[in-house]
């Protein structure tokens, strides 16, 4: 095993990881900072895939209070209000930093102000964007800035375990597999940031990048950290549905399409959303996904078993101009987005749940910080489109500042060597002899059971069965043996590690979903269809697979109140 030391270790190079690196370096340029990432820096994760854009209250007629209220109401009153407040206020600073310091070009109005477009679930058009491929602009500029600084990189290094000190009182470092050689690497660090980006890739239809398999959340669960709101998985209404032969199926068609006035049609080519919600297609993602699920359940579907997205009534030329990237993506799969119909299906997109954390990004484990999609509490029961990249960049920067301050007085700590040995032993399991079943069959089992029993509509029977199925799947994975003992880029080994983590986090989702006996935001129970009292809202906190319900603190505004003086 190779061993390295660094002051600050950042896991992941999305918006959260790269902002943390830049801010820590700016705060203390003498620190050794290492970004370790499963893929290549600047080329992986979901921030790069951001399409629609970034929510921020910039316009004179808008306000951070209004953005805050939209976030709280959209989150069905489950948000940690201090985190949400930090999100909306610091998003203003962060977007200026992205433009003025880091060199991002966002779309502008003729008068030179930044153009902001409509996103569903918001009372004001506040989504900053670069066409419909905003994330590429953000990540390219961030990566360039990181490359230009003395920041170390461990690329194609997969974090496999958070390692504590022997007494367990703090984090000592992280164990990795160097994917290029298969060698184990232990990195000791004074502070570690978990920014591996969650990613609900355990569902049959999903949007996140393939490198994301809930590794950070699984490591946090194994380290005994509390995770909140794990039952809250967001389904995006418009996943592309292009058949089983293509991995384009499940990828997202951006929210701005519905924001701009796109229609959803059923198999009979009839618009159905107004029957479900007065906001029609511009209702929040949870409502639209559920309405679609219901329409699909009636059997009135498109050829591949989904529904249609229709934009042509807005003018094909305008659609082609405003949504160039989306039009090209659909054309690649044989659909004419500008002038025809595109088959769509709800698709698992985002996890509102994650590691519990404080507004300075500290966690229950001293020395461990969290930011971005690995963290929980910012979005409550439902994330507004455009608040995801704001979340990762805002809290990534906060974490960078906080870690730089913290490591000044911290030393490197000795790791629990027995814990390293145990983690290596766990990774080595599939190299032993065992069953030779095709790993794809395990993946399909996971996809189907999560989609059917822990998906858009849930009930007690299905959730109980899902837990039993997940336990059986975990045991089957433990009995699995790899076809090749080669370690260099052994992607089947990494798939096995991915599946182990996905199953662990899926169990947390199923257990939390069984504990929440009401319907709220993204979590819908057909056996408890009503939402409980907003005033007595509780969030789920899961630790070592035991759930407790904790009261939400209404630190800034209580249900029935608003921070807005003039409500439109
Ligand atoms: C298709 C798509 C479109 C989206 N559009 C929008 C939008 O328009 N607006 C919006 O606000 N949000 C959008 N989102 C959500 C948004 O992308 C995420 O909320 C946000 O970018 C997450 O940032 P992050 O830094 O937490 O994670 P990511 O950007 O996903 O980065 C995670 C990083 O962790 C690395 N990693 C993972 N596992 C390991 C491991 N074991 N060891 C080391 N490294 C690891 C990954 O390789 C990656 O570098 C979209 C998401 C998708 C998938």
């Amino acid at each position: 095993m190779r061993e390295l030391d660094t002051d600050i270790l950042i896991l992941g190079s999305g918006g959260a990881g790269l902002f943390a690196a830049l801010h820590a370096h700016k705060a203390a340029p003498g620190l050794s900072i290492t970004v370790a990432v499963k893929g290549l820096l600047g080329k992986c994760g979901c921030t790069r895939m951001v399409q629609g854009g970034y929510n921020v209250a910039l316009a004179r007629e808008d306000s951070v209070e209004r953005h805050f209220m939209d976030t709280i109401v959209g989150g069905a009153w489950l948000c940690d209000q201090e985190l949400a407040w930090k999100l909306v206020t610091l998003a203003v600073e962060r977007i200026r930093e992205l433009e003025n310091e880091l060199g991002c070009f966002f779309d502008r109005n003729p008068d030179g102000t930044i153009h902001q477009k409509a996103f569903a679930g918001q009372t004001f058009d506040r989504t900053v964007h670069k066409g419909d491929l905003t994330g590429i602009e953000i990540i390219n500029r961030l990566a360039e800035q990181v490359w230009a600084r003395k920041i170390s990189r461990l690329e194609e290094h997969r974090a496999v375990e958070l390692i504590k000190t022997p007494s367990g009182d703090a984090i000592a470092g992280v164990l990795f597999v160097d994917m290029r050689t298969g060698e184990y690497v232990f990195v000791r660090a004074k502070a570690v940031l978990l920014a591996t980006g969650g990613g609900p890739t355990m569902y049959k239809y999903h949007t996140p990048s393939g490198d994301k398999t809930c590794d950070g959340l699984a490591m946090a669960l194994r380290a005994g950290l509390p995770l909140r709101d794990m039952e809250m998985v967001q389904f995006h209404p418009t996943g592309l549905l292009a058949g089983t032969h293509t991995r384009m199926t499940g990828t997202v068609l951006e929210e701005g399409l519905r924001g701009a006035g796109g229609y959803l049609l059923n198999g009979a080519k009839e618009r159905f959303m107004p029957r479900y919600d007065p906001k029609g297609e511009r209702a929040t993602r949870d409502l639209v996904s559920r309405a679609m699920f219901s329409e699909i359940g009636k059997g009135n579907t498109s050829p591949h078993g989904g529904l249609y997205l229709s934009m042509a009534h807005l003018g094909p030329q305008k659609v082609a101009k405003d949504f160039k990237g989306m039009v090209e993506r659909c054309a690649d799969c044989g659909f004419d987005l500008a002038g025809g119909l595109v088959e769509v299906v709800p698709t698992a997109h985002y996890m509102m749940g994650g590691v519990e954390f404080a507004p300075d990004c500290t966690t229950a484990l001293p020395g461990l910080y969290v930011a971005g999609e690995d963290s929980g509490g910012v979005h409550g029961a439902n994330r507004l489109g455009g608040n995801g990249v704001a979340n990762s960049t805002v809290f990534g920067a906060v974490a960078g500042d906080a870690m730089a301050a913290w490591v000044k007085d911290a030393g490197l700590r000795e790791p629990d060597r027995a814990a390293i040995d145990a983690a290596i032993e766990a990774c080595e399991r599939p190299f032993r002899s065992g069953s030779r079943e095709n790993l794809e069959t395990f993946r399909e089992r996971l996809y189907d059971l999560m989609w059917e029993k822990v998906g858009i509509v849930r009930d007690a029977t299905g959730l109980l069965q899902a837990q039993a199925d997940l336990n059986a799947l975990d045991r089957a994975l433990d009995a699995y043996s790899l076809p090749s003992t080669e370690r260099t880029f052994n992607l089947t080994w990494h798939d096995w590690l991915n599946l182990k983590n996905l199953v662990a986090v899926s169990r947390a989702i199923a257990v939390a979903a069984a504990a929440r006996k009401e319907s709220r935001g993204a979590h819908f129970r057909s056996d408890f269809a009503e939402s409980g009292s907003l005033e007595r809202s509780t969030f789920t906190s899961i630790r070592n697979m035991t759930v407790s319900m904790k009261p939400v603190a209404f630190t800034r505004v209580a249900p029935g109140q608003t921070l807005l003086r003039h409500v439109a």
Side-chain angles (χ1 to χ4, degrees):
M1 184 177 75
R2 204 156 33 105
E3 300 206 24
L4 305 168
D5 288 346
T6 187
D7 291 322
I8 293 177
L9 175 61
I10 294 167
L11 305 182
S13 67
L18 295 184
F19 251 105
L22 291 174
H23 268 242
H25 185 269
K26 188 174 179 182
L31 291 176
S32 68
I33 300 169
T34 305
V35 180
V37 51
K38 203 173 177 184
L40 297 174
L41 192 145
K43 303 286 180 212
C44 55
C46 287
T47 308
R48 193 176 171 79
M49 298 165 80
V50 164
Q51 301 172 347
Y54 190 122
N55 290 347
V56 53
L58 294 178
R60 195 173 305 150
E61 304 79 10
D62 197 7
S63 67
V64 290
E65 287 80 5
R66 195 163 173 169
H67 187 184
F68 176 79
M69 287 308 303
D70 284 349
T71 302
I72 299 299
V73 172
W77 295 91
L78 282 200
C79 307
D80 177 310
Q81 298 196 353
E82 294 314 300
L83 297 177
W85 183 251
K86 204 149 192 173
L87 171 80
V88 299
T89 50
L90 292 187
V92 181
E93 279 178 31
R94 207 60 65 235
I95 210 79
R96 300 280 182 224
E97 186 178 348
L98 278 164
E99 271 225 321
N100 302 337
E101 289 184 41
L102 303 173
C104 287
F105 282 103
F106 296 117
D107 286 9
R108 294 198 167 263
N109 296 310
D111 69 358
T113 52
I114 292 184
H115 183 260
Q116 296 184 270
K117 67 178 170 184
F119 252 30
Q122 302 197 64
T123 60
F124 197 87
D125 296 353
R126 64 167 70 89
T127 307
V128 171
H129 63 109
K130 166 93 175 174
D132 57 5
L133 296 173
T134 311
I136 292 180
E137 178 72 359
I138 292 177
I139 280 294
N140 283 357
R141 300 294 83 77
L142 282 173
E144 286 163 8
Q145 297 291 339
V146 168
W147 285 326
R149 287 166 177 74
K150 216 170 149 271
I151 293 172
S152 306
R153 307 200 295 269
L154 288 174
E155 293 175 300
E156 296 178 318
H157 276 62
R158 172 201 186 105
V160 290
E161 206 72 290
L162 304 174
I163 304 292
K164 300 184 207 171
T165 58
S167 68
D169 63 348
I171 189 153
V174 177
L175 180 70
F176 292 89
V177 173
D178 178 345
M179 298 166 74
R180 297 166 302 188
T181 59
E183 182 188 22
Y184 291 98
V185 181
F186 178 66
V187 181
R188 240 174 15 143
K190 295 174 184 170
V192 175
L193 176 66
L194 200 60
T196 67
T201 51
M202 64 283 276
Y203 288 91
K204 180 156 125 188
Y205 301 112
H206 61 251
T207 69
S209 58
D211 50 323
K212 297 216 304 190
T213 51
C214 294
D215 297 349
L217 297 175
M219 289 190 290
L221 277 171
R222 287 196 292 269
L225 287 155
L227 273 60
R228 67 175 281 171
D229 301 329
M230 286 305 290
E231 71 280 20
M232 298 300 176
V233 178
Q234 179 167 77
F235 289 83
H236 194 297
T238 48
L240 190 58
L241 187 57
T244 48
H245 65 286
T246 168
R247 295 201 58 183
M248 293 298 285
T249 282
T251 57
V252 81
L253 298 177
E254 72 131 311
E255 181 105 341
L257 293 162
R258 284 181 297 121
Y263 289 157
L264 288 166
L265 310 179
N266 59 22
K269 319 264 169 71
E270 290 159 354
R271 205 173 154 219
F272 57 86
M273 268 317 296
R275 278 194 273 120
Y276 290 88
D277 193 277
K279 291 199 188 95
E281 284 81 356
R282 285 185 70 168
T284 47
R285 291 174 177 180
D286 52 328
L287 292 167
V288 182
S289 294
R290 228 162 24 245
M292 291 174 73
F293 193 77
S294 162
E295 283 296 306
I296 292 170
K298 291 178 193 161
N300 198 356
T301 62
S302 64
H304 286 111
L307 300 161
Y308 294 109
L309 176 66
S310 168
M311 300 295 293
H313 59 283
L314 301 173
Q317 276 180 335
K318 182 168 166 46
V319 176
K321 178 173 163 284
D322 292 351
F323 298 99
K324 187 169 174 289
M326 296 300 104
V327 169
E328 285 170 6
R329 170 170 293 186
C330 291
D332 286 345
C333 297
F335 294 115
D336 175 10
L337 175 66
L341 298 177
V342 180
E343 282 189 69
V344 290
V345 69
T347 177
H349 187 49
Y350 188 91
M351 301 174 78
M352 276 70 77
V355 178
E356 289 180 28
F357 76 119
D360 63 357
C361 294
T362 50
T363 67
L365 184 63
L368 181 71
Y369 295 71
V370 68
E373 210 175 318
D374 273 346
S375 69
V378 179
H379 311 291
N382 188 25
R383 172 180 72 92
L384 295 183
N387 270 359
V389 63
N391 174 39
S392 58
T393 55
V394 160
F395 286 101
V398 169
D401 294 336
M403 289 190 294
W406 196 74
V407 299
K408 275 192 206 142
D409 304 317
L412 287 165
R413 295 170 291 275
E414 268 314 299
D416 179 351
R417 295 275 159 190
I420 296 180
D421 291 345
I424 292 176
E425 175 62 20
C427 293
E428 288 292 303
R429 192 172 290 146
F431 287 108
R432 294 197 300 253
S433 61
S435 89
R436 280 284 161 85
E437 211 176 324
N438 185 340
L439 215 46
E440 267 320 300
T441 60
F442 293 97
R443 194 192 322 280
E444 295 297 330
R445 269 167 73 182
L446 178 63
Y447 279 175
D448 288 342
L449 87 89
M450 289 302 284
W451 188 255
E452 283 155 23
K453 302 186 180 113
V454 199
I456 296 170
V457 176
R458 305 158 172 181
D459 64 26
T461 314
L463 291 168
L464 205 65
Q465 185 59 52
Q467 290 172 52
D469 293 352
L470 286 164
N471 291 341
L473 189 52
D474 198 46
R475 286 194 298 275
L477 281 167
D478 283 345
Y480 170 82
S481 178
L482 286 163
S484 159
T485 53
E486 173 65 51
R487 278 160 194 273
T488 306
F489 277 119
N490 186 335
L491 296 185
T492 315
W493 180 24
H494 288 283
D495 252 0
W496 182 86
L497 292 165
N498 290 342
L499 282 166
K500 281 289 287 180
N501 284 341
L502 285 173
V503 168
V505 176
S506 298
R507 288 165 71 193
I509 296 172
V511 169
R516 182 172 291 285
K517 294 186 174 59
E518 64 161 351
S519 292
R520 183 84 77 115
H523 170 73
F524 186 82
R525 294 268 310 243
S526 56
D527 48 351
F528 294 99
E530 298 302 316
S531 170
S533 151
L534 292 183
E535 289 74 18
R536 289 196 297 279
S537 294
T538 51
F539 66 90
T540 58
S541 174
I542 184 162
R543 186 176 207 155
N544 301 323
M545 288 300 159
T546 304
V547 187
S548 42
M549 308 297 294
K550 297 185 178 169
V552 175
F554 301 119
T555 51
R556 288 178 185 265
V557 61
Q561 299 174 346
T562 176
L563 294 190
L564 305 181
R565 251 176 280 154
H566 307 288
V567 184

